[in-house]
Amino acid sequence: MVSDSTRTYRHSGTQQNICGKWAVPSEPVEMEAQSWRIPLLLLVTLILMIKLGHFQRWEGFQEKPMSKQNMNSTLHFFIQSYNNASNDTYLFQVQKLIRSQMQLTTGVEYLVTVKIGRTKCKKGTGRSTSCPMQSNKLKKSLICTSLIYTVPWVNYYQLWNNSCQDS
């Protein structure tokens, strides 16, 4: 080791002018003690950015109210998809929105639970919005939980998952 009045150095083989003197340079002992400061500073910066919300967090599904427009178009898409896939002779309508959760991804994912019921309108009649509900032995209600992906600003909808049970 070479020492002067201001710094202590380890030998690395080349010479350098330090404080007006030629000395054999190497990493200062002080630098070793300070080498942890940069990673610590980066870690503190990262924690502050996360706490202050500079990074988008994917928090999963949240119970947030759906706008009327998004709710109507999403539920309309759902019931159309259900009716198209159903083997039932009659159309079904949404009777009640039980639960709605949303998650922002590349679009919006809605996890909805609805009560649907069989109407008196048969498939292929063209009437689907003003059909009265069945009230006799043909009455049938289901509780459906569905995952619907939508990009509402381009009017794109996709039914990713659907499960219905008798209510």
Side-chain angles (χ1 to χ4, degrees):
M1 281 189 165
V2 176
S3 180
D4 67 16
S5 61
T6 57
R7 293 195 170 94
T8 304
Y9 300 91
R10 284 196 196 120
H11 180 39
S12 69
T14 58
Q15 291 187 350
Q16 180 178 334
N17 187 347
I18 301 171
C19 299
K21 299 179 183 178
W22 284 96
V24 178
S26 68
E27 205 173 281
V29 173
E30 292 172 13
M31 287 296 288
E32 287 179 11
Q34 294 178 6
S35 65
W36 56 269
R37 287 186 182 175
I38 292 174
L40 181 62
L41 182 61
L42 290 173
L43 180 63
V44 168
T45 303
L46 180 63
I47 290 171
L48 285 173
M49 289 177 74
I50 290 171
K51 289 286 185 187
L52 296 175
H54 285 88
F55 288 109
Q56 181 177 3
R57 289 173 273 167
W58 301 98
E59 297 180 4
F61 284 96
Q62 298 177 352
E63 299 223 18
K64 290 186 176 179
M66 216 189 294
S67 73
K68 276 270 194 212
Q69 181 181 358
N70 284 351
M71 180 175 57
N72 289 340
S73 58
T74 302
L75 293 179
H76 179 72
F77 167 77
F78 161 73
I79 202 63
Q80 276 186 326
S81 298
Y82 179 84
N83 282 327
N84 289 339
S86 168
N87 291 330
D88 202 292
T89 306
Y90 295 91
L91 294 172
F92 279 73
Q93 280 184 337
V94 174
Q95 292 179 294
K96 180 181 180 183
L97 175 64
I98 297 171
R99 184 176 187 193
S100 171
Q101 295 177 296
M102 68 166 290
Q103 170 175 267
L104 292 176
T105 57
T106 55
V108 182
E109 294 176 25
Y110 290 110
L111 183 59
V112 294
T113 302
V114 293
K115 181 178 181 180
I116 64 173
R118 183 186 283 149
T119 68
K120 292 182 179 181
C121 294
K122 290 189 174 186
K123 287 184 176 180
T125 60
R127 291 177 49 193
S128 62
T129 56
S130 61
C131 296
M133 302 304 291
Q134 291 281 358
S135 58
N136 55 20
K137 63 181 181 175
L138 293 177
K139 181 177 182 178
K140 184 174 183 178
S141 293
L142 302 169
I143 302 293
C144 299
T145 301
S146 301
L147 179 59
I148 301 162
Y149 174 75
T150 178
V151 185
W153 51 93
V154 295
N155 204 27
Y156 177 81
Y157 296 87
Q158 193 173 35
L159 183 62
W160 280 356
N161 195 1
N162 184 45
S163 173
C164 296
Q165 298 176 354
D166 289 331
S167 66

